[in-house]
Amino acid sequence: GSEMCIRDSGLQTGLLISGAVLTETVFAFPGIGSFLARAIFTRDFPVLQGFIIFIAIAYALINLAVDVSYSFIDPRVRVQ
């Protein structure tokens, strides 16, 4: 049902980000993916660290929102 759709959308976040890096690098689109690829190739470690922290926080917050939305959709799911 709708629980699977929400769960899958939360899990697809990581794939979406990695796909952006690949797509922007292959097709030379300007964006966050090409910015990350350029930082990797030039060994710009502060940019890489900031980007990794940003992605980790965004991924954690999206999955937190997915977990919280479970309780609204399915009242049987409760935090104990």
Side-chain angles (χ1 to χ4, degrees):
S2 61
E3 295 92 6
M4 290 178 59
C5 180
I6 292 173
R7 181 197 67 214
D8 290 344
S9 65
L11 293 173
Q12 291 293 326
T13 305
L15 295 173
L16 193 78
I17 295 165
S18 64
V21 173
L22 180 67
T23 303
E24 291 175 9
T25 302
V26 169
F27 294 109
F29 293 149
I32 195 108
S34 59
F35 178 69
L36 177 64
R38 191 171 343 122
I40 290 170
F41 294 134
T42 60
R43 297 182 184 197
D44 192 354
F45 294 117
V47 170
L48 290 172
Q49 289 173 341
F51 187 79
I52 290 169
I53 288 172
F54 172 75
I55 295 303
I57 290 171
Y59 191 76
L61 288 176
I62 289 170
N63 281 306
L64 176 67
V66 167
D67 289 342
V68 169
S69 67
Y70 269 168
S71 64
F72 292 117
I73 292 173
D74 190 0
R76 297 173 293 175
V77 178
R78 293 286 178 217
V79 177
Q80 295 185 11

